[in-house]
Amino acid sequence: MTSMKKIPNVLGARRSNTLDQERDQFERTQEASFRKAVNDEEVPVKTKHVRNLIIGTFTDKNTDLFWRNVAVCPPISTDVTGWKFCHCLHVVLRDGHPNVLRDSQRHINRIKDTGQHFRHLEHGYGRLINRYCELLIAKLKFHQHYPRFPGSLSVTPEELEALAENDANNYFELAVEMLEYMECILNLYEAVFSSLDPSRANSMTRSGQCRLAPLIPCIQDSSCLYDCTVRILFQLHKALPTDMLSGHRSRFYKQFKQLQQFYNNTRNLQYFKGLIQVPALPQDAPNFLIEAELRSHETPVVVVEEQHEAADTSDSLLIDTSEPEPPPIPPHPDLIDNHNGSLAEVVAERESLIEALHAELEAMRIEVQRSRSHATHNEEQLRLRINDLESTIAELDSELLAEKQSKESIMAQVEAAAASAEAVTRVADEETRRRSAEEKFLKMKDVYQKLRDEHIHLIRGKAELDKQLSMEQEAHASTQRSKDELAAALNRLQSQVTQDSEAHRSVTRIAEQEREMLNKKIFELTTERDKLAGQVRDLRDNISHLNTEMESQAQQATYQVTVVQNSWEGGVHKCVEGAVDGALIVVSHALSHFDLETHADIKCTPEYTLAYHALVVDSLTKLWSSYESYISSFHAAPYLITSISSTAHYIATFLLYAKATSHASPNIEHAENLVASLEQFAKECIDSLGRMRTKQALADILTTKERFERCCSLVSLCEDHSPGIEDMASVVQREMENMDTAIRDAVEKFTAMLENSRAKDTGTQLEIKLGKVNESILGTCSDLMAAVRLLVQRAAELQKEIVDAGKGGASPREFYKRNHRWTEGLLSGAKTVAIACQALMTAADQVVSGKGKFEEVIVASREIAASSMQLVMASRVKADKSSVKLGNLNATAKTISRLTGTVVATAENCRDKVAIAGTLDFSKLSLHYTKRMEMETLVKVLETEKQLDTERSKLSELRKHHYRLAGEIEGWEAAEMS
C-alpha cells in the first residue's frame, strides 16, 4: 500500500518537521531497495538490497512497510520477479526482526496465490516458484505453531529441551513438523537442480546463479533442522517404544540420503565455493536405537562468507530517481500570473495524486475484504464460545443447587448421628481427605493459573468458571461420599445406642464442635457461590456486548454478500450471453451454407440425416428445461451453457445434412419444401436463443418440436425410390441364387448319371471299358461341380462382407448404385458360371449316352474355370486384402483350377481309350479294302482339317460378337468415351 506521506500535497504545504522528512526518506529508500532486489533481470539478488530491507524491519520492528511495498510493486509481473521475491522474503524471515514472522503469517494467502499464479507455467521459473511458496508457507506455519523458535532455527540443546518442555508428546509433534519442513526444502532443491543442465556448467552463468542463489538460506535452514531432528529422535527413543517410531525413522533415513546428496552437489559447484561453506554429513545415518551415538553426533556448521560488492554510487542513498520530488505549488491563485508553468504543474500533481489514491483505495479494498473475512471467522468462533459458556453456566447453577440440598441433608444426618463415636471418627477422616483434596486442588489451581495467563480476556473468565466448577465438583463428590458412609454408619450405630449411653455425652460435645466447623465451611461455600454468581453476571454483560457487535458485523457482512451476489449474477449472465452468441454464430454459419454453390455438390442419405432426430429432440428438451431452471435460480447456469452449446451443434449438423439430403432428392418440390422448412426451423431456433440472451419467455417447445418433425418428415420424402437401383440389388441377389440353384441341379444330375452308369457297367469287355470311361468322366465332373458350388457359397459370403464394410451408413442399394461397374462385373461372372455349369452337364450327358464328344466336356470345363476366375476377380476388387473370407475364396479357386485340369486330362484319356477300343482288326483286311479305307480316311482327315479351320474362324467371330454385346450392355464404350 502506498504511504500517504509519499503523496504530494496539492495545496503546497511543506513538511511539518524533520522527523517526517526522515520518515519519508526512509520509506523511499525501502521501496527503492525492494524494487532493485525484486527486478526482472535474471541475476542473483544483491545482498546489499536485502540487507537494507532487513534493517528496515528492525527500524520499524515489523514488516508492514515491506508488505506495503509488495502491494505497490506486485512480484507476479514476471516469473523472474516472483522467484526473486521468494528469495528476499526467505532471507527477511530468517534474519529480520523477531516480529517479522508474526506479521507475515497474515499474508500466507498472498504467498499461496503467488505459487498458484505460476503453477501452470511449464517453462522458466513456474514450477520453482510453486515449490518455493510451499516452503515459505511451511516455514510460517511452523513458527506459528512454535513461536519460540527464532527465524534462523538456531537453538542450543538446552533451548530445544525447554521449548519441548521435555515432554514425549511435544517431541513427537515437533519431529513431524520438522520432517515436513525438511521435505519442502528437499523438494525445492530437486526442482532447482532438475532445471539445470546435467553438467551443472551453467552455475557460473547469471541465469544459473539466479536459480541457485536461494539454496543458500535453504542450506542454513536444513542444517539446523537436521541437528534438531536428530536430537529429538534420540529423546523420543528414550521415552517411547521403538515400534511406534518406525515411521519417523524411515522418513528420516530417506531425507538423510537426499540431504547428503544436496550438500555434496552444492559443495562441488564453483558458485557456492566463494559464498558458503557447506557442512559435511557423516557417511552413515545415526542409529537411534543406540543411545551412545548421541555423544558422537556433531552439529553441522554452515559458514556464510562475507561478500564484498563493488560500490555503486547510485545506490548510496537508495533513492528511486524514477519518481522525483514534486516542485513547490504556489500558495495562492493570484500568483499564477507571475508563474506561467504553475498551472500545468498543479494539474500534473493532481493527476499523480488521483492515480496514487486510486492505487491506495484498491489496496485498502483488498485489506478490508480480508478483514471482513477474518471478522466473520472470529464472529463464528465467539458465537460457539458463548454457547459453550451459557451451557457451562446452566450446569453450574444446577450443581450449586444440588450441592446446597446435599449440604442440608448432610447436616440432618450429622445431627441424627451425633450419638455415635465411630461416626465422629469417620467425619474426622472425611475432613482429612477433604483437606488433602483441597491441597491437590490448590496445586491444580496454580498450574491452571499459568495456563490462564496465555489466553484472551474472555477465555480467562471462562477458565475461572471452570476452576470454580471443578472445586464445587470435588466438594460435592467428597460430600456425597461422606453422606454414603454416614448413612451406613448410622445403620450400624442404631443397635449400639443403648450400650454406649455413657460415651454419648462426650461424643455429643465433639459432634457440636464438628457441626460448628461444618457451618463455617458452608458459610464459606455460600460466599464463594455468591462470588461466582457475580462473575456469571459479568460474563452475561460481556455476552450481550458481544452479541451487539456481532449483529452489527452480521449486517455489514449481509450487505457485502448481497453486493457480491449481484456481481456474481451479472458475471454468470455474461457467461450465458457468451454461450448464446457462440450458438447463434454456429447456427447462422450452418444456415449460410444454404446459399453456397459448393455445398450443392454435397449429398447425404435420408437414413444418415434422420440419425440425428433423437439427438436434436433430446437436446431441445434439455435446453428448455435448463433455461426454466436458470430463470428460477442462476446456479443452474452451467447446465444451461452446456445445453446451449450441444443443442447449437446438433441443430447446425442436422441443417447441413438435411440440406445435403435435399440435393440428392429426385423430387424437386420435396427438396424445395424441405429447404423452406429448414430455414423456418433455424430462424425459430435463432429467435429462441435471442430470447434467452435477454431473459425473455420462450415459445412453447411443442411448436419448435413440431417444426422439427415437419423437417424430418420432408427428409424421409427425399429418399430416392428409383426402380433401377432397387432392381440392381435384387438382380444381384437373384442371379446369385439362380447360380447356386443351377449348380445344385447340375451336381444332383451328375450324381444320378454316375449311379446309372455304374448299374450298366456289365456284360462284354468293351462295355466294361466304356462303363469305366463314363464313371471317370462323371466322377471328375461331379467333383468339379461340387467345388464350383463351394466357390459360389464363399463368393456370396465375401460379397455380404464387402457390402457391409463399404456401405457405411447407407443401404445396400446405395452401395450398388455407387459401385455399378463392379456390380455389373459381378453379375456377368455369376451368369457365366451358371451357363458354363449347364454346358458341362449337357456335354457329360451326351458323352455318357454316346452321342457327344469329349471335346465338348473339355471346352465346358475350361469355360467353368475361366468364369469362376472372373467371379473371383470381381469379388477380389472390393475385398479387404487381409479378409479371411477372401483367402477361403482364393483357396477354392485354386481347387477349381486343379479339378479343371483333372477333368481335361480325364476326358483326353477317356477319348484315347475309346479310340483304341474302336480300332479295326487289320489282320483280316485285303489289299484292295485296305487301300480304299486309307483313301476314305485321308478324305475324312482333309474334311476334318477344313472343318477345324471353319470352326476356328467361327469361334473368333463369336468371341468378337460376345465382347461387342457385353460392351453395349455394360456400358464399356460410354465409360471409355467419358
Side-chain angles (χ1 to χ4, degrees), residues 6 126 181 244-245 340 413 462 521 588 684 711 762 794 831 847 897 912 919 932 957 977:
K6 285 188 58 181
Y181 192 172
M244 187 182 298
L245 301 173
N340 296 328
Q413 292 176 2
K462 196 267 178 186
K521 186 65 177 180
S588 301
E684 188 169 343
C711 296
T762 59
R794 292 185 174 179
K831 292 178 181 179
V847 167
S897 298
D912 296 338
T919 303
R932 190 179 66 180
E957 293 298 328
M977 293 178 63

Side-chain angles (χ1 to χ4, degrees), residues 437-503:
E438 289 177 355
E439 292 176 357
K440 291 180 181 179
F441 178 77
L442 291 175
K443 293 180 180 179
M444 292 176 63
K445 180 181 178 181
D446 294 335
V447 174
Y448 182 79
Q449 187 67 25
K450 294 179 181 179
L451 296 174
R452 188 183 61 181
D453 295 336
E454 298 177 2
H455 292 76
I456 61 176
H457 179 69
L458 186 58
I459 303 296
R460 184 181 307 159
K462 196 267 178 186
E464 181 67 23
L465 288 176
D466 290 339
K467 182 189 67 175
Q468 298 297 333
L469 180 60
S470 62
M471 183 180 67
E472 291 295 331
Q473 289 176 349
E474 287 288 339
H476 175 68
S478 175
T479 307
Q480 186 68 27
R481 288 194 298 271
S482 300
K483 182 181 69 173
D484 296 338
E485 293 176 357
L486 288 174
L490 182 60
N491 294 330
R492 289 193 301 269
L493 291 177
Q494 284 179 354
S495 61
Q496 300 177 0
V497 171
T498 56
Q499 300 176 3
D500 299 333
S501 58
E502 186 66 24

Side-chain angles (χ1 to χ4, degrees), residues 37-257:
V38 185
N39 55 25
D40 57 355
E41 187 177 0
E42 197 170 4
V43 295
V45 179
K46 290 187 178 181
T47 308
K48 59 183 178 181
H49 300 324
V50 183
R51 187 185 300 115
N52 279 307
L53 296 177
I54 295 173
I55 293 173
T57 61
F58 280 95
T59 302
D60 288 348
K61 296 182 176 55
N62 56 51
T63 55
D64 293 343
L65 182 58
F66 175 82
W67 286 106
R68 286 204 302 270
N69 291 330
V70 172
V72 173
C73 310
I76 60 174
S77 57
T78 63
D79 54 347
V80 177
T81 57
W83 177 250
K84 297 172 81 170
F85 161 71
C86 294
H87 184 193
C88 292
L89 179 59
H90 192 181
V91 178
V92 170
L93 293 177
R94 275 187 51 83
D95 302 330
H97 192 270
N99 293 335
V100 168
L101 295 169
R102 183 195 61 197
D103 297 339
S104 299
Q105 289 167 3
R106 299 193 302 267
H107 301 277
I108 288 179
N109 290 333
R110 183 192 294 272
I111 301 172
K112 186 182 298 183
D113 293 341
T114 303
Q116 292 294 327
H117 179 76
F118 292 100
R119 181 169 61 90
H120 301 290
L121 189 63
E122 296 181 356
H123 61 279
Y125 292 84
R127 189 165 61 93
L128 305 183
I129 294 173
N130 188 27
R131 294 290 189 185
Y132 212 158
C133 290
E134 291 176 357
L135 171 60
L136 295 175
I137 293 172
K139 181 177 181 65
L140 290 174
K141 289 185 177 179
F142 176 80
H143 289 286
Q144 184 178 9
H145 295 161
Y146 303 99
R148 296 171 63 184
F149 268 94
S152 61
L153 300 175
S154 179
V155 293
T156 61
E158 293 78 13
E159 293 174 344
L160 180 63
E161 206 172 301
L163 287 171
E165 297 179 358
N166 202 16
D167 186 2
N169 295 328
N170 295 338
Y171 276 132
F172 192 91
E173 295 177 359
L174 184 58
V176 173
E177 295 280 351
M178 287 189 169
L179 290 173
E180 292 178 355
Y181 192 172
M182 179 71 78
E183 187 173 353
C184 293
I185 294 175
L186 295 175
N187 290 338
L188 177 61
Y189 145 70
E190 292 178 354
V192 171
F193 269 71
S194 63
S195 66
L196 303 175
D197 58 33
S199 63
R200 309 287 189 263
N202 56 1
S203 64
M204 296 307 294
T205 62
R206 300 173 69 185
S207 60
Q209 292 176 0
C210 183
R211 300 190 183 205
L212 292 172
L215 294 182
I216 295 177
C218 292
I219 294 173
Q220 293 174 303
D221 284 354
S222 62
S223 63
C224 297
L225 286 174
Y226 169 76
D227 180 57
C228 293
T229 305
V230 171
R231 298 184 184 279
I232 289 172
L233 289 178
F234 272 113
Q235 293 294 334
L236 284 174
H237 280 77
K238 290 181 183 179
L240 299 177
T242 56
D243 296 339
M244 187 182 298
L245 301 173
S246 59
H248 283 59
R249 287 197 303 274
S250 60
R251 191 174 183 184
F252 173 80
Y253 290 148
K254 179 181 178 182
Q255 292 184 0
F256 177 80
K257 294 179 181 178

Side-chain angles (χ1 to χ4, degrees), residues 151 173 537 737 833:
E173 295 177 359
R537 286 193 299 273
E737 292 177 356
V833 169

